[in-house]
Amino acid sequence: MLYKFTKSILLLLFFVFASSTVTNGQDVFKTDLKEDVGANAWRIIKKSYEQALAEQADYFLIEMNTFGGAVNYADSIRSLLLNSDIKTIVYVNNNAASAGTLIALASDHIFMHSGASLGAASVVNQSGEIMPEKYQSYMRGLMRATAEAKGRDPKMAEAFVDPTISIPALKEDGKILTFTASEAVKAKLANAEVKRVEEIYSNLNISTPSVKAYERTWVDIIIACLVNPMVSGLLIMGIIGGIYFELQTPGIGFALVIALISATLFFAPLYLQGLADHWEIALFVLGVLLLALEVFVIPGFGVAGVLGIIFVLCGLAFSMLANDYFDFKVSQPGLLMNSFLIVIGAMVFSIILMVIFGKNIFNSSAFKRLVLADEQRADSGYTSSVPKINLLNKEGVARTVLRPAGKIEVDGVWYDAVALDGFIDAGEQVYVEKHENYNLFVRKIADKPV
């Protein structure tokens, strides 16, 4: 009897020991980070992690191949991994440079594909130039804090950013630290060098894992496409072109529709990505309203018009990058100038296209299908508002702003007129220089030849 009881106890201890060394049937949720670390990458990682929580996964695995990106989004992903309730794994499949290194250090386990590299995390601008010390200091602090949180060597993490850190066994003095897969394993930074993801499960003693992967939806694909700088530039052209034609011909609704659709496609994905904030969209809308006010209400081109252009420009540019109101330190260096160049370039290009093709658009058959083209002929009883009298060289006064069209008064009668000078303010004295096709063409009396 005692023998049977002892045998049962030993068998029970054996199974307990076996279950502690080999984990059966654990769930792994896998996602990819194979793009620059930015708004779209952060959105996908966050959605993947939320889905992993919903699936009650035991491991959250990121397969990484990135050359870096924006520090603020890398910090967001880093914070998610550091505070994760799930065990996290980063599998470096080729590259984990710069911001990718920071993310990798925040995981519980790092595995690297044969031939992969990790490191070179100095902060650089869009041209690849090293940024000033304040950026490097911030990045060094992030790297140290991340390494300490995961029990890794903080000095080694700092050496990824600072070439002055001396670690003779790992790198030359004056060089930034970058590891190959085998070097990272030897330095005990990475768990192991692997050739396929299945080797990771074996290394972690995960037997027969249930692996689920995040599948990008058509919404993810469309948003990723719309936030592309080239597409954003085309949408800005649609916004500016639509507003221009609507202000020129306010009775034509399709130009306004084009502007609204372009604005929606421009701002909506940026808003979902966390880039465009309410105040930036409001700044753009205020700029458009000021431009409309300048054209239709306020005579001349003054403060309202200038502010309108500035607000539209800033609203579009600020929406394209992360910022804390007017603090752009959280964004990747150089992106502010880059976003302004995209907006200004799109504006200039759209203006050039409008000048070249504007008249052709109005005369095209497609445009004529959208507007009334009936002629009001004299033989049908229609007459012009300008009587057939000789008004040449007659003097009068501008009753409205001529920009270049407006109203003038000659001999107590108001007429429609066009300024040959391009702009005449209300109240200025004018004279009629030409009278063609029932149109009066006027100049300022001050410009009348003696």
Side-chain angles (χ1 to χ4, degrees):
M1 185 71 178
L2 180 62
Y3 170 75
K4 290 182 178 180
F5 178 75
T6 305
K7 183 178 181 181
S8 299
I9 294 297
L10 290 173
L11 287 173
L12 179 61
L13 291 174
F14 172 77
F15 283 118
V16 170
F17 176 77
S19 63
S20 66
T21 56
V22 179
T23 305
N24 291 312
Q26 288 197 300
D27 295 331
V28 178
F29 195 92
K30 179 179 176 295
T31 191
D32 291 337
L33 175 51
K34 297 182 178 180
E35 59 185 293
D36 286 346
V37 179
N40 191 62
W42 162 232
R43 178 175 172 272
I44 295 298
I45 295 296
K46 183 166 60 172
K47 286 186 65 179
S48 301
Y49 181 75
E50 290 170 354
Q51 191 171 337
L53 287 176
E55 299 283 348
Q56 297 183 338
D58 300 290
Y59 288 90
F60 181 59
L61 189 152
I62 300 175
E63 185 170 344
M64 180 186 295
N65 182 17
T66 181
F67 288 101
V71 175
N72 58 312
Y73 291 111
D75 185 37
S76 297
I77 299 174
R78 175 195 85 107
S79 299
L80 182 147
L81 297 181
L82 288 177
N83 300 316
S84 173
D85 296 324
I86 309 172
K87 295 177 183 177
T88 56
I89 307 168
V90 167
Y91 172 36
V92 181
N93 191 356
N94 286 338
N95 294 292
S98 192
T101 301
L102 177 64
I103 295 169
L105 288 176
S107 66
D108 295 315
H109 305 284
I110 301 175
F111 290 86
M112 298 180 66
H113 189 272
S114 301
S117 62
L118 180 148
S122 294
V123 184
V124 297
N125 60 20
Q126 294 290 300
S127 303
E129 299 171 344
I130 300 294
M131 295 299 293
E133 170 59 22
K134 64 178 181 179
Y135 294 100
Q136 310 305 330
S137 177
Y138 177 73
M139 190 64 172
R140 287 197 301 268
L142 279 180
M143 299 291 279
R144 285 197 310 271
T146 306
E148 288 176 355
K150 290 298 179 179
R152 298 187 172 103
D153 185 354
K155 186 176 182 181
M156 184 188 304
E158 191 173 2
F160 287 125
V161 180
D162 191 348
T164 64
I165 301 296
S166 179
I167 311 179
L170 299 178
K171 73 177 188 69
E172 297 179 25
D173 288 344
K175 302 289 185 180
I176 294 174
L177 180 60
T178 300
F179 279 143
T180 64
S182 59
E183 289 170 343
V185 173
K186 185 178 179 180
K188 297 182 180 180
L189 182 70
N191 292 52
E193 179 179 356
V194 298
K195 293 185 177 179
R196 58 184 184 275
V197 72
E198 288 75 17
E199 294 181 30
I200 296 175
Y201 309 140
S202 300
N203 189 280
L204 294 176
N205 296 320
I206 305 174
S207 178
T208 61
S210 174
V211 182
K212 295 183 180 180
Y214 179 80
E215 296 182 3
R216 300 201 179 197
T217 65
W218 63 270
V219 175
D220 295 328
I221 297 171
I222 290 175
I223 289 177
C225 177
L226 290 176
V227 297
N228 183 286
M230 182 176 294
V231 177
S232 296
L234 293 175
L235 291 174
I236 292 171
M237 290 175 59
I239 294 170
I240 301 303
I243 292 173
Y244 171 82
F245 284 119
E246 184 64 25
L247 293 179
Q248 289 292 311
T249 53
I252 302 173
F254 84 98
L256 180 60
V257 171
I258 290 175
L260 289 174
I261 292 175
S262 298
T264 301
L265 293 176
F266 177 82
F267 284 109
L270 295 175
Y271 183 81
L272 292 174
Q273 301 279 40
L275 291 175
D277 206 347
H278 296 93
W279 71 273
E280 293 164 331
I281 299 174
L283 191 67
F284 168 78
V285 173
L286 179 60
V288 174
L289 292 177
L290 286 173
L291 288 174
L293 191 67
E294 183 71 24
V295 171
F296 297 115
V297 180
I298 303 174
F301 190 82
V303 176
V306 173
L307 286 178
I309 293 174
I310 293 174
F311 286 175
V312 167
L313 181 66
C314 291
L316 292 171
F318 292 166
S319 297
M320 297 176 69
L321 71 162
N323 61 81
D324 184 9
Y325 287 94
F326 292 100
D327 183 3
F328 299 96
K329 294 178 182 178
V330 297
S331 185
Q332 185 177 0
L335 279 185
L336 179 60
M337 180 61 68
N338 191 48
S339 64
F340 269 103
L341 289 176
I342 291 173
V343 175
I344 294 172
M347 283 184 170
V348 171
F349 194 60
S350 62
I351 291 172
I352 293 173
L353 291 180
M354 286 185 288
V355 171
I356 296 175
F357 299 109
K359 294 182 178 179
N360 294 333
I361 291 174
F362 287 117
N363 293 326
S364 66
S365 59
F367 179 85
K368 290 179 179 178
R369 294 192 189 101
L370 301 174
V371 297
L372 295 175
D374 293 337
E375 294 185 41
Q376 297 178 339
R377 302 175 61 86
D379 55 13
S380 300
Y382 293 99
T383 59
S384 170
S385 61
V386 181
K388 294 182 179 180
I389 58 177
N390 185 11
L391 295 176
L392 288 177
N393 295 317
K394 286 278 189 177
E395 296 182 357
V397 62
R399 289 305 181 190
T400 66
V401 176
L402 276 69
R403 196 178 32 227
K407 299 282 188 180
I408 66 168
E409 181 183 347
V410 178
D411 296 335
V413 182
W414 284 38
Y415 300 98
D416 292 322
V418 178
L420 292 171
D421 298 312
F423 176 85
I424 297 177
D425 207 348
E428 293 197 62
Q429 299 294 317
V430 297
Y431 74 97
V432 179
E433 183 172 302
K434 291 195 298 182
H435 182 184
E436 297 177 355
N437 298 326
Y438 304 107
N439 292 320
L440 299 182
F441 295 87
V442 300
R443 293 187 190 276
K444 300 176 186 178
I445 287 182
D447 298 333
K448 186 177 182 179
V450 180

